[in-house]
Amino acid sequence: RRSTSAPPTMPPRRLLHPRARAAYLLAATLALGAGPAAAQRPPADTATAGVARADTAAARLAAAEAGPARFAPGRDVSLGFAATAHALTAPARWGAREWLAIPTATAGLAALSLADARVDHFVDRDRRGFKNTLLNTIEPLGAEASIPIVVATYVAGIALDRPGLRRTGVEAAASSVAAAGVITPLLKKAVGRARPRQHLGSHHFDPFGGDVSFPSGHTTQAFAIASVFAAEAHPLWARIAAYGLASGVGVARMYHGAHFASDVAGGALIGTLVGRGVVRFGRSRVRVAPAAGGAGVAIAF
């Protein structure tokens, strides 16, 4: 007897898990806390004077934030391009110390890769329960969900008149483009490592052959942004939350069989180094010009 009931239909697939809102709310709160304390609008007398003691780097930064507080998109775009170029051309300015760090980091990742197969074997990939929901929620923060967070950080800096928060958004965008948009994709192609879910082993490499497991792009993106937020944040909870969410992205990628532990470690290393380098460059754009009375007027470029 033929059934007349219609076959069950699958519900439409959602791009992001509904519970992702919680992670985005946390990330947005983190972004609002990422602006330096100096980015807050100073008292009227300080803003009018525009002068601060220049005996410490903190005083110079505070004076800079109190000075050119007006929204200048051209200056922000210039900073973004300059910071990205600075990150991509960093090897040209390296000294012996930086070049010696490359084989050290490579040796560390190679040593970690010896345990990749064992770590992957013990990764619990049970697709049920709270853990599954949590990792599915966090993982997009290393991909498409990170873009609105960076944009929201920049827009919040404009809306709240906080130039330090605005600069944080620019630095996060520059770090993301340099680390996850250029460096990691090039390394992926050159290394050609197979993913865990391909079941070819943890040491299957085919340079320029199409495999792209090392390093983890999601983890690079997450740490490139998190390192900027953490470097610019004053509250300890904001730094912990930034690196905690980024680490969760790496765990999610291993959970889904996309990367080995050394892939995640490599992505975290690249993202962190680029992000912190971009922040240092952004702060170097603040310099102090001599003024009468031993004070200095901070000028941001």
Side-chain angles (χ1 to χ4, degrees):
R1 185 176 180 181
R2 183 174 299 175
S3 174
T4 58
S5 60
T9 58
M10 296 295 293
R13 184 180 180 182
R14 300 184 181 181
L15 293 178
L16 300 175
H17 197 278
R19 296 187 184 180
R21 298 173 184 173
Y24 301 152
L25 178 60
L26 176 59
T29 304
L30 167 64
L32 289 175
Q40 301 286 355
R41 195 163 188 81
D45 55 346
T46 305
T48 303
V51 176
R53 296 295 299 175
D55 52 348
T56 64
R60 292 196 297 269
L61 182 59
E65 297 295 358
R70 290 181 300 174
F71 173 46
R75 185 172 59 212
D76 292 340
V77 172
S78 174
L79 172 61
F81 277 106
T84 303
H86 179 83
L88 294 177
T89 59
R93 297 180 296 275
W94 284 355
R97 180 180 178 182
E98 288 79 8
W99 282 111
L100 288 175
I102 296 298
T104 302
T106 303
L109 292 174
L112 179 59
S113 70
L114 298 177
D116 277 342
R118 181 170 297 181
V119 173
D120 184 67
H121 176 73
F122 283 103
V123 172
D124 181 10
R125 297 193 171 102
D126 183 15
R127 299 292 194 266
R128 297 172 297 176
F130 174 76
K131 178 189 67 177
N132 181 69
T133 301
L134 178 64
L135 293 178
N136 286 339
T137 299
I138 293 177
E139 186 176 20
L141 295 177
E144 68 277 1
S146 63
I147 299 175
I149 294 172
V150 173
V151 174
T153 302
Y154 181 75
V155 173
I158 299 172
L160 300 176
D161 195 14
R162 293 177 60 180
L165 185 59
R166 199 175 73 228
R167 190 189 68 240
T168 299
V170 175
E171 291 170 348
S175 176
S176 172
V177 170
V182 178
I183 298 174
T184 289
L186 291 176
L187 283 175
K188 279 177 173 287
K189 294 179 182 292
V191 176
R193 189 183 196 185
R195 296 185 185 273
R197 58 189 175 212
Q198 293 178 258
H199 305 292
L200 296 175
S202 59
H203 291 88
H204 184 276
F205 297 91
D206 184 16
F208 301 101
D211 293 331
V212 290
S213 185
F214 179 88
S216 168
H218 280 67
T219 310
T220 301
Q221 171 81 344
F223 274 88
I225 295 174
S227 59
V228 171
F229 285 167
E232 293 286 19
H234 279 250
L236 178 61
W237 67 263
R239 302 176 189 177
I240 295 175
Y243 283 121
L245 287 172
S247 300
V249 171
V251 172
R253 296 304 285 164
M254 291 192 293
Y255 175 77
H256 290 128
H259 292 288
F260 292 104
S262 58
D263 299 334
V264 170
L269 181 63
I270 293 170
T272 301
L273 291 178
V274 171
R276 295 186 71 85
V278 166
V279 170
R280 286 194 299 270
F281 175 77
R283 291 176 177 175
S284 72
R285 306 272 285 192
V286 177
R287 67 180 177 87
V288 175
V297 179
I299 307 173
F301 295 91

